[in-house]
Amino acid sequence: MITDVSTRILNKIVKSPVFDYLPPTPLDYMHKLSQSCSNDVYIKREDLQPINSFKIRGAYQKIMSLTLNQLNLGVVAASAGNHAQGVAKVCKELGANATIVMPEVTPKIKVDAVRAYGAHVVLTGVNYDDAYDYAIKLANTHNMTLVHPFDDIEVIYGQGTIGVELLNQIDELDYLFVQVGGGGLLSGLLLVMRALSPNTKVIAVEPEGAQTLGESLKKKQVTKLDAVCTFSDGVAVRQIGNLPYNICSGEIDGHVAVANDEVCSAIQQIHEDTRAMAECSGAVGLAGANKYLRENGLEGKNVAVILSGSNINFQKLEYVAQRYNLGQMREKLLHIVLPERKGELIKLLSHINDVNITEIKYRKSKYDIRANIILSFSSNDSELLESKVDILASAGYTITDLTKSDIGKSHLRFMIGDSKFGSTVETERFYRLEFPEKQGQLLSTLNRIYIDVEITALNYRQNGQHECSLLLGVDSSSEPDYSNFKDGESYKIQLIDFGL
């Protein structure tokens, strides 16, 4: 816990070698967003760093603190992305050997980026924890220095240099929203703000499925999550660092948890205002600012967020494009049961002719006089969207609102054939399975539990995380056998109740 920031600590940040190594990143004013939310919103462009991420600051600070003997023995780091690139780049420039341990599921684009800096890459395990455990073994066996991505005071000092630059770029800062993974960025910025700008309120932001700081604050001790959502993979950490927690505990001025759709909306807002393309973790801070400012009715404040990185691939961009309107509450996704009569679809659409139709999937059941429709429509007026749902219900249509349903948004809207809506299989049951995304895993899964089972529906989606999601309809008269899953495999199996 910070009671006062000593001169020694502040000098370590203010006089950091990072300032000689990296030029200051710009602080951009977000014109459109500022106008729409009635606050002045600024974004610190850490995506413009050489590795497109702020992580190079902490990596450089730490590696420059090592002795010549330590450098000669080499360094090792565990990371699935930006920290790995930072360590690899700095080591290449200093002529030191770097070994980077990455999970087997790490996207090839990130592995190739690390190898391009000359680092030796070891792929092992299915998550960061597995990679980190192996990195520790390597460090102990070969006397290498472990460069931790966040639980290291030198790394924290390096990340804190962002705060010094920020305060040189803006005269008065009311709110600073900071995304949290392991806590290195947040703790570094807190050290600076408490010393140089004590009136600035620092708000921590985490994804809803990765609240390691939130859970630790509730339990008043560092708490490891049982599972973590990896959509915003740069902050998908199961346990905050001990050192960052000690620095942050009792010092942050607020905490916000944001949904994946809200992160998608923030990515779209950043692109609209700056033409930058943030990675998911890079936009978490802005997603939190949007939510906090709206829920607290704040106006006229100077607000800053960190665009912490832009290492995003096109596969995830596709997902973001599908979801950002939902995150801004500018789109409705509905299932509608429609009487199968001539002109009925035209009649339906006439009720919503003053909103933008974004999607229609129409499917008539072979044995039914009804049709099932997946319909989405958008508007900048959220009240208008809600009124259209009421109008359709008043017109006598049977409606299921899927806007807040993860199953609806991730699967049902993509299912062309009959799903649970209009199924002709009376004994049909639906299961959702989530498991690590790696080559051959889908076939392995189906081979082991569905060989003798009739599959009535299937939708498989890579959902922007390190896991994939599988929705299966099966004839329950031949119920699948889940007993032959291997112990320790990261499967989640859920029987779906379509009350949604």
Side-chain angles (χ1 to χ4, degrees):
M1 184 181 294
I2 306 172
T3 52
D4 63 318
V5 180
S6 70
T7 301
R8 181 187 66 81
I9 290 176
L10 185 60
N11 282 340
K12 285 285 290 186
I13 300 175
V14 173
K15 297 180 180 180
S16 167
V18 169
F19 294 114
D20 294 324
Y21 177 61
L22 300 169
T25 53
L27 183 68
D28 287 352
Y29 182 70
M30 299 189 70
H31 293 273
K32 293 181 181 179
L33 179 58
S34 296
Q35 184 176 8
S36 65
C37 74
S38 301
N39 290 281
D40 290 315
V41 183
Y42 298 84
I43 189 162
K44 182 70 168 158
R45 296 292 304 277
E46 288 298 294
D47 62 305
L48 297 178
Q49 294 288 9
I51 63 166
N52 305 111
S53 167
F54 78 99
K55 288 284 190 177
I56 195 169
R57 293 177 182 263
Y60 187 78
Q61 174 84 22
K62 173 62 178 179
I63 295 170
M64 287 297 291
S65 73
L66 302 180
T67 65
L68 182 59
N69 183 56
Q70 288 174 315
L71 285 175
N72 288 336
L73 289 171
V75 304
V76 61
S79 170
N82 297 334
H83 178 64
Q85 292 186 62
V87 171
K89 183 179 189 301
V90 173
C91 284
K92 180 180 180 181
E93 293 169 347
L94 296 178
N97 292 324
T99 299
I100 309 296
V101 186
M102 310 180 83
E104 293 175 359
V105 296
T106 304
K108 185 176 182 295
I109 187 174
K110 293 186 176 182
V111 176
D112 290 345
V114 173
R115 284 176 172 153
Y117 289 117
H120 173 58
V121 175
V122 177
L123 298 175
T124 186
V126 297
N127 53 39
Y128 169 78
D129 288 341
D130 292 341
Y132 178 67
D133 289 343
Y134 190 74
I136 292 177
K137 291 179 182 178
L138 288 178
N140 293 335
T141 302
H142 301 286
N143 293 320
M144 294 188 289
T145 299
L146 178 69
V147 182
H148 200 283
F150 48 82
D151 205 4
D152 184 289
I153 193 60
E154 291 291 342
V155 171
I156 290 171
Y157 291 156
Q159 320 304 25
T161 58
I162 297 174
V164 177
E165 288 182 12
L166 182 58
L167 294 176
N168 286 332
Q169 294 168 318
I170 187 170
D171 293 331
E172 184 177 336
L173 182 60
D174 297 310
Y175 285 88
L176 175 60
F177 292 85
V178 186
Q179 48 269 61
V180 184
L185 177 62
L186 175 63
S187 51
L189 289 170
L190 268 172
L191 290 174
V192 172
M193 294 300 151
R194 292 298 176 254
L196 301 179
S197 185
N199 292 327
T200 298
K201 294 186 182 300
V202 180
I203 311 297
V205 188
E206 292 184 291
E208 288 181 349
Q211 296 184 63
T212 175
L213 174 60
E215 288 300 310
S216 298
L217 292 174
K218 286 180 184 178
K219 297 180 179 179
K220 297 183 179 180
Q221 62 180 1
V222 173
T223 302
K224 188 172 185 177
L225 302 177
D226 294 330
V228 64
C229 172
T230 58
F231 178 72
S232 299
D233 53 356
V235 290
V237 176
R238 291 178 63 188
Q239 181 175 312
I240 191 170
N242 289 292
L243 186 54
Y245 175 76
N246 290 333
I247 293 172
C248 299
S249 178
E251 287 299 320
I252 59 172
D253 298 290
H255 178 275
V256 183
V258 294
N260 290 346
D261 288 351
E262 291 171 323
V263 174
C264 293
S265 296
I267 292 173
Q268 186 270 340
Q269 290 172 328
I270 291 171
H271 182 260
E272 190 172 60
D273 250 317
T274 69
R275 293 300 181 264
M277 190 57 69
E279 62 188 70
C280 296
S281 58
V284 165
L286 180 59
N290 286 331
K291 191 170 188 176
Y292 187 93
L293 295 172
R294 181 179 67 251
E295 291 183 348
N296 290 277
L298 296 176
E299 295 184 352
K301 303 297 183 182
N302 282 341
V303 177
V305 298
I306 313 297
L307 201 179
S308 57
S310 62
N311 291 304
I312 188 169
N313 58 40
F314 271 76
Q315 182 181 6
K316 187 166 281 191
L317 279 177
E318 178 190 14
Y319 182 93
V320 170
Q322 294 165 358
R323 303 291 283 257
Y324 76 88
N325 266 335
L326 293 167
Q328 294 179 18
M329 296 178 290
R330 299 194 309 196
E331 185 176 25
K332 275 290 180 181
L333 177 64
L334 308 176
H335 167 260
I336 301 175
V337 178
L338 189 70
E340 182 50 41
R341 294 192 295 262
K342 186 177 181 180
E344 198 65 36
L345 180 59
I346 301 298
K347 180 181 175 183
L348 168 69
L349 296 179
S350 68
H351 292 291
I352 52 174
N353 64 344
D354 53 346
V355 292
N356 181 39
I357 307 296
T358 53
E359 178 181 3
I360 298 177
K361 284 187 172 65
Y362 182 99
R363 183 69 167 173
K364 179 185 176 183
S365 175
K366 180 179 179 181
Y367 304 104
D368 208 338
I369 59 171
R370 300 172 301 170
N372 292 281
I373 293 180
I374 295 291
L375 172 69
S376 63
F377 49 87
S378 65
S379 170
N380 289 329
D381 186 342
S382 58
E383 292 184 1
L384 176 62
L385 292 179
E386 292 295 339
S387 71
K388 289 303 172 185
V389 178
D390 294 337
I391 288 171
L392 291 173
S394 298
Y397 297 107
T398 301
I399 297 172
T400 303
D401 192 340
L402 304 177
T403 307
K404 295 182 179 180
S405 163
D406 187 49
I407 294 291
K409 293 181 289 187
S410 296
H411 291 286
L412 296 182
R413 75 184 303 176
F414 300 104
M415 297 179 74
I416 298 174
D418 292 334
S419 62
K420 79 99 182 180
F421 302 117
S423 172
T424 60
V425 182
E426 293 182 1
T427 54
E428 185 178 46
R429 290 160 68 96
F430 273 82
Y431 292 87
R432 187 186 197 183
L433 287 80
E434 294 178 296
F435 45 85
E437 169 54 36
K438 58 184 179 181
Q439 188 173 349
Q441 196 74 6
L442 174 61
L443 179 60
S444 173
T445 300
L446 295 178
N447 275 336
R448 278 188 289 165
I449 61 175
Y450 288 101
I451 292 177
D452 299 319
V453 176
E454 180 185 349
I455 297 176
T456 60
L458 185 150
N459 183 258
Y460 173 78
R461 297 280 298 166
Q462 290 190 5
N463 56 9
Q465 305 183 37
H466 293 158
E467 292 81 30
C468 55
S469 183
L470 177 67
L471 184 70
L472 279 169
V474 301
D475 185 343
S476 62
S477 61
S478 55
E479 195 74 9
D481 178 14
Y482 296 106
S483 63
N484 51 12
F485 279 85
K486 294 179 181 178
D487 291 338
E489 288 190 342
S490 303
Y491 278 84
K492 300 175 187 175
I493 303 171
Q494 176 187 10
L495 176 64
I496 298 301
D497 175 7
F498 276 109
L500 296 169

